Amino acid sequence: MPKSESCGQFEQLVLTAILTLHEQAYGVTIHKKVQHLAKPKNATLGAVYVTLDRMEDKGFVSSWLSEPTPERGGRSKRYYRVEAAGERALRESTATARRIWDALSDVMIGRRGRKWGEAWK
């Protein structure tokens, strides 16, 4: 099985945004969704575009231009779609996060002699 590329936390946010936006996944809407998912942290539009470019180079996403529209002064929108490699990377990173959560959950609910946030005894 070929080694898949990993996916960083910000890439996870961007991939999730694209997947949830379906046909409406273009720069501005992706940024808005990432802002919502990343709260209370701030995500700049520039960071989203840099991440989209990097993920396109990795084969995680693909993009295409729409037809020019009068509302945009004759300019096109660049739409994005998550590719199989991006879905795989997101699934793997989600599985890792779940394993981390499972490992911490015993401590967080006090099964190991302390509650989350208390010092070790």
Side-chain angles (χ1 to χ4, degrees), residues 14 17 22 57 66 68 73 84 94-95 104 107 112:
V14 174
H22 307 288
D57 290 343
S66 69
T94 302
L104 288 174
V107 174
R112 294 209 177 146

Side-chain angles (χ1 to χ4, degrees), residues 3-111:
K3 181 184 177 241
S4 62
E5 277 207 63
S6 64
C7 171
Q9 187 177 37
F10 197 73
E11 290 175 330
Q12 292 172 30
L13 291 169
V14 174
L15 287 169
T16 301
I18 295 168
L19 286 169
T20 60
L21 288 165
H22 307 288
E23 306 83 39
Q24 294 303 312
Y26 59 93
V28 173
T29 60
I30 294 168
H31 175 245
K32 185 176 178 181
K33 184 61 132 178
V34 167
Q35 285 278 77
H36 174 74
L37 293 169
K39 282 182 184 174
K41 292 184 178 181
N42 186 35
T44 66
L45 183 59
V48 169
Y49 278 117
V50 166
T51 301
L52 287 166
D53 287 344
R54 182 176 59 248
M55 290 194 309
E56 197 159 16
D57 290 343
K58 289 181 173 184
F60 287 1
V61 300
S62 60
S63 68
W64 68 96
L65 290 173
S66 69
E67 292 296 320
T69 61
E71 308 83 51
R72 294 181 41 86
R75 295 179 309 163
S76 301
K77 289 181 186 175
R78 180 167 295 280
Y79 286 89
Y80 293 86
R81 165 181 49 240
V82 177
E83 297 297 337
E87 287 184 19
R88 227 177 359 266
L90 185 57
R91 209 174 13 258
E92 289 172 11
S93 65
T94 302
T96 300
R98 188 171 291 124
R99 286 190 301 274
I100 292 168
W101 177 258
D102 290 345
L104 288 174
S105 66
D106 286 346
V107 174
M108 293 178 74
I109 61 173
R111 290 188 185 160

